[in-house]
Amino acid sequence: MRVLLTGANGQLGRCFQDRLPAGWQILATDFAELDITDLAPLTAAVAAFKPDAIVNAAAYTAVDKAESEVELAERINAVGPANLASVAAQHGIRLVHVSTDYVFDGNTTTPYTEESPTNPLSVYGITKLAGERAVSAAAPDAIIVRTAWVFSEYGNNFVKTMLRLGKERDALSIVDDQRGCPTYAGDLAQAIIALLQQNAAGGIYHYAGDKEVSWFEFAQAIFSAAVQKAVLSKAPTLTPITTAQYPTPAHRPAYSTLAGEKIKTLGIALSDWQRALELTI
């Protein structure tokens, strides 16, 4: 299989390259090599490489910064996916587009299914939902994978931030009233590969961690693993706080657990993030 990968230098992009099956060929691109918001060079790149599939791991993910960079977030999260879907449909190429749990408002206490009503609270969530809709409209057979709370050995993520702060401070206050499922980018990459190998039906799939936690509980797990592996000599003292006590420019859903029953029917296991945490610290 020939795969055009966008967002190659991000967490998912790098993990996808690490797990590329034998015999697959990849054109790994990031913004410097391919601007997906510009249709002409994108069309040329697809015509030259002739991929069987496109995996869109490119995204504007700075949730708070997006509130003041609306146009840039729209270009990357909505216009770019629309362009990819248009080119994919034109050439009969399979598209896998990655979206987010932040398309939901969090006003529930039961896991969101693929059919649950969307209602994003932030510019980031709004632009990601716009990207989903553009992909579905232009390429109905595209696969859209919603994921959540992604971490890995690469890039910037909550795990790395906690480890850095744990070395710098003796005490930390962590939000405890936002709940979701951490997801290891390596597991997400493997799930996307499995979807392509199975030629799965188009539509939306949820893929995230297999255990729901709050950010506070996630931090506890991170520091426990870090101390166990001697990355830290001791864990900082953690204090649970509310979202109101830690105001941010972007509003986040209080509850964004994704139900993964649909993808599990394909034999794809959800991310065992606790196991992955042991491997990435």
Side-chain angles (χ1 to χ4, degrees), residues 16-264:
F16 188 89
Q17 293 173 77
D18 289 346
R19 288 157 180 79
L20 197 71
W24 284 29
Q25 292 178 279
I26 190 168
L27 176 59
T29 67
D30 211 76
F31 184 78
E33 295 86 27
L34 184 63
D35 179 359
I36 63 172
T37 70
D38 191 341
L39 187 57
L42 173 60
T43 302
V46 168
F49 183 62
K50 295 181 173 60
D52 302 301
I54 297 172
V55 174
N56 182 31
Y60 183 108
T61 58
V63 177
D64 288 320
K65 207 172 178 182
E67 297 296 312
S68 58
E69 293 188 345
V70 179
E71 185 178 344
L72 181 58
E74 286 177 341
R75 283 180 57 216
I76 297 172
N77 290 344
V79 176
N83 288 343
L84 288 168
S86 175
V87 173
Q90 183 180 348
H91 293 275
I93 299 165
R94 200 70 197 275
L95 172 62
V96 179
H97 172 67
V98 180
S99 192
T100 175
D101 57 327
Y102 279 24
V103 299
F104 299 112
D105 60 19
N107 294 330
T108 185
T109 54
T110 55
Y112 286 101
T113 70
E114 290 81 359
E115 292 77 32
S116 296
T118 53
N119 185 33
L121 304 176
S122 63
V123 168
Y124 168 68
I126 290 167
T127 58
K128 289 297 289 182
L129 181 58
E132 285 188 14
R133 289 174 172 168
V135 166
S136 296
D141 71 334
I143 293 171
I144 296 170
V145 182
R146 291 182 182 141
T147 192
W149 296 25
V150 177
F151 72 93
S152 72
E153 56 270 49
Y154 300 117
N156 298 313
N157 55 67
F158 186 74
V159 174
K160 288 194 170 189
T161 298
M162 287 299 102
L163 293 177
R164 174 177 57 80
L165 292 176
K167 292 175 182 177
E168 299 171 355
R169 304 181 193 177
D170 294 326
L172 295 170
S173 297
I174 310 293
V175 170
D176 195 34
D177 60 355
Q178 293 174 23
R179 300 188 67 79
C181 295
T183 310
Y184 175 49
D187 292 338
L188 175 59
Q190 200 64 59
I192 290 171
I193 288 168
L195 288 167
L196 287 172
Q197 287 173 327
Q198 295 186 32
N199 193 27
I204 298 172
Y205 295 84
H206 285 176
Y207 185 85
D210 59 359
K211 182 185 178 186
E212 172 193 313
V213 287
S214 69
W215 289 112
F216 176 81
E217 291 166 340
F218 191 17
Q220 286 180 313
I222 292 166
F223 289 121
S224 176
V227 170
Q228 192 172 24
K229 297 189 73 174
V231 172
L232 293 175
S233 58
K234 66 171 186 174
T237 300
L238 300 181
T239 301
I241 59 172
T242 65
T243 298
Q245 290 174 285
Y246 187 74
T248 56
H251 293 293
R252 290 162 167 79
Y255 184 89
S256 63
T257 295
L258 299 176
E261 299 310 310
K262 181 178 178 180
I263 204 165
K264 286 198 290 186

